[in-house]
Amino acid sequence: MLHIGHGYDVHAFAEGRKLILGGVDIPYERGLDGHSDADVLAHALMDAILGALRADDIGQLFPDTDPAYKGADSLKLLSHVAELARSEGYVIQDVDCTVAAQAPKLAPYRSAMRANLAAAMGVDVSQVGVKATTTEHLGFVGRKEGIAAWAVALLEDGRC
């Protein structure tokens, strides 16, 4: 049996932080605000996997009230979520992600993001899609106030 999950996350820009997306440190004047490294792409992907599992979301699994996750590497958290899926008997078949950012331009980092996310989940890079778009200057993304990400995950229940 196949299960699909959808994830969404958004983070505002903040001064004095690195911009980490898909585990890639992207040169930019600001990073994203958050309790962990604020990797909005990895966060959306984790929620998509957890959604396919019909499990709690990342806020429940990795609460921002827990000091253990302060500054946490989101790829390590993604690895934990992927291992949780495997331990429940699921196989990650495919994931696809979209990042909305007016700036910076993300196309040069897409391959590295795909590779990092695939490695964190223990899947082949061909099973990971990452796209970037702008919002044509509309909304908080268009005003360069933050970045949003969406993800879907297709998991197969290996127990069936």
Side-chain angles (χ1 to χ4, degrees), residues 39-147:
D39 186 335
V40 69
L41 174 56
H43 293 183
L45 184 50
M46 284 186 274
D47 268 341
I49 294 168
L50 291 167
L53 294 174
R54 308 302 185 250
D56 289 333
D57 61 27
I58 62 170
Q60 301 272 312
L61 198 57
F62 310 113
D64 63 7
T65 55
D66 188 336
Y69 302 115
K70 179 74 174 161
D73 179 339
S74 292
L75 289 185
K76 289 182 181 176
L77 302 179
L78 177 59
S79 289
H80 178 79
V81 168
E83 182 53 39
L84 175 65
R86 282 189 288 279
S87 73
E88 295 287 327
Y90 288 83
V91 177
I92 299 170
Q93 291 293 345
D94 198 67
V95 302
D96 191 37
C97 310
T98 302
V99 180
Q102 197 63 45
K105 295 295 182 195
L106 300 177
Y109 307 101
R110 185 176 158 268
S111 293
M113 289 181 208
R114 290 180 65 215
N116 287 347
L117 295 170
M121 292 183 291
V123 302
D124 190 81
V125 71
S126 67
Q127 295 169 269
V128 179
V130 173
K131 300 170 300 306
T133 189
T134 69
T135 60
E136 301 296 330
H137 302 281
L138 297 173
F140 76 91
V141 171
R143 292 187 301 270
K144 299 180 186 175
E145 295 171 6
I147 295 179

